[in-house]
Amino acid sequence: MAADVEKYSRLDTLRQEDVQADLVRVLEEAAALSGLDRTAWARQAQGDQEFAVLPADISESVVLGDFVRHLAVRLGERNANQAEDARMRLRLAVDVGVARTAALGHSGPAPVAVARYLNAPQLKRVLEAIDSTDLAVIISDRLYQDVVRLRGQGLDPERYAKAHIRQKEFSGYGWIHVPEHGPAELEPLVADPEPDSGPDAPAPHNVVHRIDGSNVTFGSGDAATTINKRYHQ
């Protein structure tokens, strides 16, 4: 599992230190409220990001259910009295698989996959567009099929949107979830990543910029319309 703070590099040094402390605190509080022992996690700090390998006997349903719900609440409480530019917003990526201790942290397919999921353009796009949330979660297709689809811990598979993730040499499907938001809001945002920009690149059409309430604001001159409108690239 990996958690990453949005727009961390824009903060000055003192605010970066505060955000790092707050990130550790909200993760610890969410874990404690979910009955998870953070002292048993193999944690790898990376400034604005924490990567962690959880013990094999931890219930994936608890992590994707209770832990995610408590993390969303703790983030909301932390941000309640903050100025807009001081909000701490997180991307969270989770997978299950082989992870081994290595000289610089961890090795294996699961840590690599988590890193690719965490930096997926679709996940970044969702967090940027849905301004009313402080947390966007992506899980592997394996976790979705083996855990979410079976509805353990009250998980609802209908509240996840499927995305094709292509990052470096990695290609696979992930499922994106935003607490308190449904798939109708997510689906317009999780299509294939936008094409690279450049002098020869075609102008984008119907690109989602921001969700406000039940409306979607599109670029290329389109007026705001309902969230059910889909877009293609």
Side-chain angles (χ1 to χ4, degrees):
M1 179 168 65
D4 185 88
V5 178
E6 181 191 49
K7 299 178 180 178
Y8 173 85
S9 62
R10 300 183 184 182
L11 304 176
D12 61 35
T13 301
L14 291 178
R15 291 175 67 188
Q16 287 180 351
E17 292 174 358
D18 290 341
V19 164
Q20 287 188 30
D22 286 347
L23 173 60
V24 172
R25 178 176 57 81
V26 297
L27 290 171
E28 289 180 346
E29 290 174 349
L33 290 168
S34 306
L36 301 174
D37 180 9
R38 281 257 295 172
T39 64
W41 298 13
R43 297 162 49 196
Q44 182 178 334
Q46 299 174 352
D48 62 334
Q49 180 184 137
E50 181 183 283
F51 173 81
V53 177
L54 281 61
D57 60 354
I58 283 183
S59 168
E60 294 92 345
S61 295
V62 172
V63 174
L64 302 184
D66 291 346
F67 177 77
V68 167
R69 285 191 289 270
H70 286 304
L71 181 57
V73 171
R74 287 308 187 196
L75 281 170
E77 292 174 349
R78 185 269 183 195
N79 292 333
N81 297 316
Q82 298 282 344
E84 180 63 25
D85 63 355
R87 288 171 64 189
M88 183 172 71
R89 308 179 76 220
L90 299 183
R91 303 191 311 277
L92 185 75
V94 190
D95 194 7
V96 61
V98 175
R100 296 170 58 90
T101 302
L104 298 178
H106 295 84
S107 62
V112 172
V114 163
R116 302 299 179 251
Y117 284 127
L118 190 67
N119 290 302
Q122 296 98 320
L123 186 64
K124 293 180 180 179
R125 190 186 307 159
V126 164
L127 188 58
E128 182 178 3
I130 305 180
D131 190 62
S132 57
T133 191
D134 296 311
L135 177 66
V137 181
I138 186 169
I139 66 172
S140 66
D141 186 59
R142 175 166 39 190
L143 272 175
Y144 179 86
Q145 301 298 337
D146 292 350
V147 180
V148 175
R149 194 169 57 86
L150 301 180
R151 299 177 181 270
Q153 288 284 323
L155 295 170
D156 183 358
E158 300 301 322
R159 301 191 70 81
Y160 290 73
K162 190 176 185 179
H164 185 199
I165 309 303
R166 291 192 293 267
Q167 281 283 297
K168 298 184 179 180
E169 76 289 347
F170 177 85
S171 178
Y173 287 100
W175 293 81
I176 295 177
H177 169 64
V178 176
E180 307 302 326
H181 292 267
E185 295 175 84
L186 302 180
E187 288 172 356
L189 302 169
V190 300
D192 285 348
E194 298 174 8
D196 293 336
S197 60
D200 299 323
H205 296 282
N206 298 336
V207 177
V208 177
H209 288 300
R210 184 164 297 280
I211 293 178
D212 180 15
S214 61
N215 294 329
V216 177
T217 302
F218 289 88
S220 302
D222 289 348
T225 187
T226 62
I227 193 67
N228 291 324
K229 180 176 178 179
R230 303 179 69 88
Y231 73 104
H232 303 277
Q233 298 177 321

